[in-house]
Amino acid sequence: MDSQLSHRPGPPALVVVAHGSRDPRALATVRALLDRVRALRPGLPVHLGHIELNEPLLPDTLAALGDREAVLVPLLLSRGYHVKQDIPEMAAAAPTRTRLAAPLGPHPLLAATLHTRLTEAGWRTPATEAERRATAVILAAAGSRDPDSATDTGRTAALLAARLGVPVVPAYASAATPTVDAAVRSLRARGRHRIAVASYFTAPGRFATECAKAAPDIAADPLGAHPLMAELLLHRYEGAMAAQGTNEPALAATR
């Protein structure tokens, strides 16, 4: 019996798929996040693969896994080209038996993390009705030409607005509008002069830095290696596992 148990296959590996960045802080942040995941789930094989710019690249990670089973969890916040094209194509070319989980957003855990980062940066709930009417938050995201990405970002903005009790307006660093600057001008024209910027980025980098510089008041840090982000990665892993053997695609599990 003991021999049979020792040869029982372990759980499919969790492969976190990060975009990659030239900013060294991004790789350090992702590695710290994976350490949190490992601490939460000892015994679960956790690996990292990048789409570009950093090693290990996803094809190399999958090649090293051979024909093992793995769940690919995008460290990405919405649907878009990377989730729909790049990652599936890399997975299809690998020997690994893979299943692709949904991107991280939208999800209430993201809204909770964004709220925490805003609070750390100095955000305080408006104390009066007049303050509330003068307050707004900009959700600064990377941006994409894919309309599904804007839909997902908008849903995260709605989740955050429900937590904060003030309007939350999506804005983008590239490929979509409005920019953070344009969103600031629009909000000020509507009488919203207390404006904070929530950083809807998984790690520090050029886009996050540019958006923070455009903030007129409070600028929160990126999501980073917050403990709730580690929980969300495991939630997406488990969602993909639960969808296995059903007719429900893992990528549909975005709530």
Side-chain angles (χ1 to χ4, degrees), residues 173-190:
S174 69
T177 56
T179 63
V180 173
D181 283 334
V184 169
R185 292 193 297 270
S186 176
L187 287 168
R188 283 177 169 167
R190 290 151 49 191

